[in-house]
């Protein structure tokens, strides 16, 4: 019976990640999608209550994250669309409860395996859907004609999910000792989808974090001087990567190609100008880019575009639009606290899964230069950040157990360590 309960909880996590990936909207009607949302969030909340001591210990690992969520929930008080802002704030807290549940009940290795299960299912369905209905899964008109979008409304969303999924399977190739062909197959599948989306941003971000992963492995060297030199190299490389990605539109345009950065800097300028009018608390969650708000249309007119921008195309600017400098400040405190803990964990541990929080922080930073996934509505990328942050408890440096001590398993993803709170991993 206990094993069935554990299997049921793992299936709950897989379904939750599939839902948060945004892949259900084309596959199921709205009532089914809503039922999935309430079912996943409701069960997560009940499981948190059932294990309240573990929940409290995990929750206290990042107070700044909860300050950010509190500000999000209260932002309906100054929003021009209070009902919609309150509803969006509640959903943000529900997403946080799901992430809190995952972080409190599963180790990093288990989290990666469960995410790989979810994204593997989505990847296969996305390919079958596109091949079966190419008019729905591939852009047929406009500048993006021929680019794959799969289960999503736009190729850039597929690219974002593809880069995220490819990173998960890249880690899975390092974690699995058996059935490695599954990990490599998933990696190949999502890299192929990333290429088919024709997104240069997504491809460059994935290549950058893949290179950073190899550099981060050097953090475990015992030679202090070598570690310091490597850190400097990492910082320089990351700075150059950020600079290139930020200006790649100009660089590639001169080469006859486009990175879809055209107009993004103008959107940033228009959004920042409005942030200066309400700098501290912003306009309220989901109010700045609300369909009934006049601000997005005004920004579109200013840049001479024929469309209304749906968001700022920059996660940090987007967050400041919603929650002002106060919200941005809370997020940055959470991020730098997480980065420091992740760096410490990477230095003092050997398992490849312990590099995941550091790598994911790097991935989130890079991707939010040109896209907006920080505190995005029902977003797998944002939920994964919270899982990683809340998994960074205190660590005790120990000699790693030999691989032979791990219990054998018939399943590469639904197996692993026993469920536990691993504040002393």
């Amino acid at each position: 019976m206990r094993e069935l309960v554990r299997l049921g909880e793992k299936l709950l996590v897989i379904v939750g990640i599939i839902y948060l990936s945004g892949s259900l909207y084309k596959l199921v009607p709205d009532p089914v999608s809503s039922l999935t949302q309430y079912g996943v969030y409701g069960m997560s909340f009940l499981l948190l209550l059932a294990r309240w001591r573990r929940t409290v210990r995990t929750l206290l690992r990042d107070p700044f994250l909860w300050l950010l969520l509190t500000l999000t929930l209260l932002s309906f008080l100054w929003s021009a669309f209070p009902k919609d802002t309150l509803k969006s704030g509640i959903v943000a807290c529900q997403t946080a409860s799901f992430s809190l549940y995952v972080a409190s009940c599963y180790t990093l290795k288990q989290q990666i395996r469960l995410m790989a299960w979810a994204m593997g299912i989505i990847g296969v369905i996305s390919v079958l859907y596109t091949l079966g209905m190419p008019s729905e899964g591939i852009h047929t008109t406009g500048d993006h004609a021929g680019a794959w979008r799969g289960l999503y409304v736009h190729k850039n969303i597929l690219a974002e999910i593809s880069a995220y999924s490819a990173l998960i399977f890249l880690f899975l190739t390092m974690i699995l000792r058996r059935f490695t062909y599954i990990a490599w197959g998933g990696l190949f599948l999502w890299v192929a989808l990333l290429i088919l989306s024709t997104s240069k941003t997504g491809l460059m971000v994935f290549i950058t974090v893949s290179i950073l992963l190899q550099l981060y492995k050097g953090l475990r060297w015992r030679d202090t001087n070598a570690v310091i030199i490597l850190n400097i190299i990492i910082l320089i490389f990351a700075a150059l990567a950020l600079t290139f990605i930020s200006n790649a539109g100009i660089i590639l345009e001169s080469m006859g190609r486009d990175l879809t950065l055209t107009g993004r800097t103008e959107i940033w300028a228009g959004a920042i100008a409005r942030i200066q009018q309400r700098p501290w608390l912003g306009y309220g969650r989901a109010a700045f880019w609300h369909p009934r708000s006049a601000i997005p249309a005004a920004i579109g007119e200013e840049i001479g575009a024929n469309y209304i921008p749906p968001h700022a195309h920059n996660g940090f600017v987007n967050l400041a639009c919603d929650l002002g400098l106060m919200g941005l400040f809370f997020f940055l405190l959470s991020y730098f606290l997480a980065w420091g803990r992740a760096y410490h964990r990477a230095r003092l541990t050997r398992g490849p899964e312990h590099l995941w929080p550091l790598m994911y922080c790097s991935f989130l930073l890079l991707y939010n230069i040109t896209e907006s996934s920080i505190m995005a509505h029902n977003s797998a990328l944002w939920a994964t950040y919270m899982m990683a942050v809340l998994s960074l408890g205190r660590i005790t440096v120990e000699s790693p157990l030999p691989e032979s001590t791990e219990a054998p398993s018939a399943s590469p993803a639904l197996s692993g360590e026993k469920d536990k709170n691993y504040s002393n991993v």
Side-chain angles (χ1 to χ4, degrees):
M1 183 65 182
R2 189 176 180 181
E3 291 301 319
L4 286 176
V5 172
R6 287 182 176 177
L7 178 60
E9 289 192 44
K10 290 175 180 177
L11 290 175
L12 173 68
V13 175
I14 292 171
V15 172
I17 294 170
I18 289 174
Y19 170 75
L20 288 168
S21 71
S23 58
L24 293 181
Y25 298 114
K26 282 189 177 182
L27 296 176
V28 299
D30 288 340
V32 176
S33 180
S34 298
L35 184 63
T36 303
Q37 174 184 342
Y38 295 132
V40 168
Y41 289 155
M43 286 300 299
S44 299
F45 184 71
L46 291 176
L47 289 168
L48 287 174
L49 292 179
R51 301 157 183 167
W52 65 271
R53 289 186 180 88
R54 181 186 299 181
T55 298
V56 172
R57 285 197 301 268
T58 308
L59 183 149
L60 293 176
R61 289 174 182 167
D62 189 345
F64 303 116
L65 184 60
W66 305 112
L67 287 173
L68 177 61
L69 285 165
T70 300
L71 184 65
T72 300
L73 198 59
L74 294 176
S75 65
F76 79 96
L77 296 172
W78 56 86
S79 170
F81 310 97
K83 290 183 180 180
D84 293 334
T85 294
L86 180 59
K87 181 179 178 180
S88 182
I90 292 172
V91 172
C93 292
Q94 291 173 334
T95 305
S97 70
F98 173 76
S99 298
L100 177 60
Y101 160 68
V102 175
S104 65
C105 292
Y106 298 95
T107 63
L108 287 171
K109 185 181 290 187
Q110 289 172 324
Q111 290 176 35
I112 294 170
R113 285 171 167 166
L114 291 170
M115 287 188 290
W117 261 109
M119 303 317 295
I121 292 170
I122 293 170
V124 171
I125 293 176
S126 190
V127 171
L128 294 176
Y129 178 87
T130 304
L131 295 177
M133 292 187 289
S135 61
E136 292 292 326
I138 301 176
H139 286 282
T140 56
T141 60
D143 296 335
H144 307 311
W148 280 41
R149 58 185 177 184
L151 296 172
Y152 304 95
V153 297
H154 196 276
K155 74 179 190 72
N156 286 346
I157 303 177
L158 174 63
E160 182 179 87
I161 293 296
S162 297
Y164 163 79
S165 303
L167 183 61
I168 292 171
F169 278 98
L170 179 61
F171 267 83
L172 195 65
T173 62
M174 299 186 294
I175 290 173
L176 291 185
R177 294 295 178 264
R178 296 186 299 162
F179 306 101
T180 55
Y181 63 88
I182 295 177
W184 287 106
L187 177 60
F188 174 80
L189 173 65
W190 280 110
V191 170
L193 286 172
L194 180 57
I195 294 171
L196 290 169
S197 74
T198 71
S199 170
K200 307 301 186 299
T201 298
L203 187 59
M204 283 199 301
V205 169
F206 176 69
I207 292 172
T208 301
V209 295
S210 299
I211 296 173
L212 282 174
L213 174 60
Q214 305 310 313
L215 295 175
Y216 283 147
K217 287 180 180 178
L219 295 175
R220 291 164 174 178
W221 296 347
R222 298 307 175 190
D223 186 336
T224 304
N225 292 328
V227 170
I228 293 173
I229 294 172
L230 181 62
N231 289 342
I232 295 174
I233 293 173
I234 290 173
L235 291 174
I236 294 174
F237 179 83
L240 291 174
L242 287 170
T243 302
F244 179 79
I245 292 173
S246 298
N247 298 281
I250 299 172
I251 297 171
L252 294 182
E253 188 177 357
S254 66
M255 298 166 57
R257 293 185 292 174
D258 183 25
L259 192 61
T260 70
L261 276 175
T262 304
R264 287 183 179 177
T265 53
E266 289 85 352
I267 294 174
W268 300 344
I272 291 172
R274 270 73 177 184
I275 292 171
Q276 292 173 349
Q277 297 173 15
R278 300 178 65 171
W280 298 112
L281 297 176
Y283 291 77
R285 166 102 173 160
F288 190 95
W289 304 101
H290 195 279
R292 298 199 304 272
S293 172
I295 296 176
I299 293 176
E301 290 179 3
E302 290 174 4
I303 64 176
N306 246 349
Y307 84 114
I308 299 176
H311 52 80
H313 288 284
N314 180 286
F316 306 97
V317 174
N318 214 64
L319 182 60
C321 291
D322 283 351
L323 302 176
L325 298 180
M326 186 66 70
L328 182 60
F329 177 68
F330 286 148
F331 169 73
L332 291 176
L333 287 176
S334 169
Y335 181 86
F336 286 120
L337 174 66
W339 201 95
R341 288 176 173 176
Y343 175 86
H344 183 62
R345 178 180 288 265
R347 285 290 318 275
L348 300 179
T349 57
R350 292 189 180 183
E353 68 275 10
H354 296 296
L355 289 170
W356 171 255
L358 187 60
M359 280 307 308
Y360 195 77
C361 284
S362 301
F363 171 79
L364 191 76
L365 174 67
L366 288 170
Y367 222 102
N368 276 276
I369 293 174
T370 56
E371 297 298 337
S372 302
S373 60
I374 298 175
M375 287 211 77
H377 187 77
N378 279 334
S379 167
L381 272 69
W382 174 245
T384 302
Y385 169 76
M386 291 188 285
M387 293 177 205
V389 166
L390 296 172
S391 297
L392 290 169
R394 181 174 60 86
I395 61 173
T396 300
V397 183
E398 297 177 349
S399 299
L401 293 175
E403 293 295 335
S404 59
T405 62
E406 292 187 0
S409 170
S411 171
L414 294 181
S415 63
E417 310 89 298
K418 294 181 180 180
D419 292 353
K420 61 183 179 179
N421 177 275
Y422 60 106
S423 59
N424 291 322
V425 171

